[in-house]
Amino acid sequence: MEPTPDVVRHFHPVLPSRQLRRQPVRVELAGHAYALFRDASGKAAALSDACPHRFAPLSKGTVTKEGQLQCPYHGWRFDAQGHGVNPSQPELRHCEAKSFQVVERHGYLWLAHASTPESALPELSGEDYVFGGTFSTLFQAPLHVALDNFSEDEHTPFVHTRLGWSGQHAGEVQFEAHNHEDHTEVHYRAPQRPAPIMRLLTVGKGDIFHNDWVTRFDPVRSVYTVSWRTPSGAPRPFTTQAHIFFVPETARTTRLHVFSFLRTSVPALRPFLPVAAKAALGLTWWEVRDDARFIPTVADTPYSHKGMRLDKYDKPLVHQRKLMERIYYAHPAHEPAGPALPHVRDATGS
């Protein structure tokens, strides 16, 4: 089997902080498994989910009162740095488990190699955006399929029912895409279809939907900024922003971790931002759920675009494959395209 790509040199969001309590939790990333736990001080830690003794899953173990992760099979215990003790043979040396870095931020646990600088952690919205919340959704499809789906809005009238335009306006879409050295940039303009929930964001009949986004690969993530203008061109007061992280768990599954924000250009509406931000979060959840329901239909789409009749809306897709190869997977230019994720395994490669 080919080795899996070493994508853990990038920080990935892997678990909401609230889901890691007294018991360890297993998470998967690019075909490897990790055991997350909290030490005696409550600080999150991560080890390869394989005891170095006989590879039993540490995530099935327990955390001792001293804050060590205890293997469920033979009781070996490990601290947050992976230093291990064998209670049956205390003098045994070299009992270490591989450890990883965990940073707790924005209500999430972010995983990376111990050597990855914390400055590499992706920045989320600042300025005058109000945080609306997060959610996580499992996509039953490989990373490249999930990313391609979120890299074009041409499917909007046929897969979605709220944001964006209806099928009758498909020919009226204004579109721009720009390929850059380390990211892609996309802009859509189209008539917003009627949807009752849009009234919560003061969107009215005949408004123009604006979707602007940037996709980067350190890790794979897109920032979608959605706003509306009246038929006369005046901006509506609310702008939503969704940061979506595409985290490959296995060769066949991708987990999307979404961070939702909202801002307003009208000072009088700022007291209502916390409530409106929850509405924006709900709207984003519905849109992502629509994609998650549809994505198994195209889960077997090949990694290569060869033979496909791509149109103008697919301009970012080909360039993004190159960026994903170079930046995310760090493949040399001469290597064949495509990650190898044969199955989920522990972070030792077993």
Side-chain angles (χ1 to χ4, degrees):
M1 289 183 293
E2 294 293 326
T4 62
D6 181 24
V7 301
V8 191
R9 68 185 183 284
H10 306 293
F11 272 104
H12 290 76
V14 293
L15 190 73
S17 298
R18 65 182 181 277
Q19 292 185 16
L20 185 62
R21 298 178 181 176
R22 295 181 60 86
Q23 295 301 314
V25 175
R26 172 187 172 99
V27 298
E28 299 168 2
L29 174 58
H32 297 298
Y34 304 85
L36 271 58
F37 68 103
R38 293 191 183 276
D39 65 16
S41 69
K43 184 175 175 14
L47 304 177
S48 165
D49 195 18
C51 179
H53 177 206
R54 297 253 295 274
F55 293 170
L58 293 174
S59 60
K60 296 295 184 181
T62 57
V63 180
T64 69
K65 64 181 181 180
E66 296 80 18
Q68 296 173 311
L69 182 54
Q70 181 171 286
C71 177
Y73 202 4
H74 301 96
W76 289 31
R77 300 188 297 271
F78 306 90
D79 65 16
Q81 288 72 46
H83 303 137
V85 174
N86 175 4
S88 301
Q89 190 180 346
E91 72 278 9
L92 184 67
R93 302 175 60 187
H94 308 300
C95 299
E96 291 79 13
K98 189 171 183 179
S99 65
F100 298 83
Q101 179 179 186
V102 180
V103 173
E104 196 159 354
R105 193 170 297 177
H106 308 300
Y108 253 78
L109 301 175
W110 301 72
L111 177 73
H113 280 309
S115 59
T116 300
E118 194 168 325
S119 59
L121 194 69
E123 290 293 333
L124 300 187
S125 287
E127 302 174 1
D128 51 354
Y129 277 97
V130 168
F131 182 51
T134 68
F135 64 90
S136 174
T137 302
L138 183 65
F139 273 45
Q140 298 290 343
L143 172 61
H144 70 273
V145 176
L147 179 62
D148 282 359
N149 175 81
F150 278 82
S151 298
E152 49 82 10
D153 270 0
E154 188 180 3
H155 69 275
T156 291
F158 313 103
V159 175
H160 299 281
T161 57
R162 297 162 192 85
L163 281 180
W165 58 98
S166 60
Q168 70 187 65
H169 295 295
E172 303 174 32
V173 175
Q174 299 177 36
F175 169 79
E176 289 182 27
H178 305 281
N179 294 335
H180 300 278
E181 180 66 18
D182 63 351
H183 67 280
T184 59
E185 180 184 349
V186 177
H187 307 276
Y188 278 88
R189 307 286 184 266
Q192 170 64 49
R193 76 178 111 200
I197 193 173
M198 306 309 298
R199 297 172 189 166
L200 296 175
L201 298 176
T202 70
V203 177
K205 183 177 180 180
D207 280 1
I208 303 302
F209 165 80
H210 290 230
N211 193 7
D212 305 284
W213 76 77
V214 172
T215 300
R216 299 185 184 276
F217 299 85
D218 59 342
V220 183
R221 56 194 170 106
S222 296
V223 180
Y224 300 86
T225 303
V226 175
S227 60
W228 295 266
R229 288 183 177 268
T230 66
S232 63
R236 288 296 185 183
F238 290 111
T239 298
T240 75
Q241 193 172 85
H243 295 241
I244 301 182
F245 289 79
F246 301 86
V247 179
E249 290 192 342
T250 72
R252 298 288 300 173
T253 60
T254 305
R255 187 169 293 277
L256 272 63
H257 298 285
V258 182
F259 300 77
S260 179
F261 299 83
L262 185 72
R263 72 177 179 184
T264 182
S265 58
V266 179
L269 292 177
R270 286 175 187 160
F272 301 98
L273 271 175
V275 174
K278 293 299 181 183
L281 173 68
L283 177 61
T284 303
W285 181 87
W286 278 106
E287 296 298 303
V288 173
R289 189 207 63 163
D290 289 344
D291 286 307
R293 286 181 168 182
F294 177 79
I295 207 71
T297 308
V298 294
D300 293 327
T301 302
Y303 186 84
S304 172
H305 293 119
K306 185 177 181 180
M308 299 182 186
R309 294 294 300 272
L310 302 181
D311 61 23
K312 68 177 183 179
Y313 300 105
D314 298 317
K315 178 181 177 180
L317 274 59
V318 175
H319 186 63
Q320 288 182 170
R321 267 309 179 277
K322 296 175 183 178
L323 297 182
M324 189 156 63
E325 290 291 327
R326 177 170 59 82
I327 300 173
Y328 188 58
Y329 292 121
H331 284 174
H334 65 274
E335 285 193 6
L341 301 177
H343 67 288
V344 176
R345 50 191 180 181
D346 66 83
T348 65
S350 301

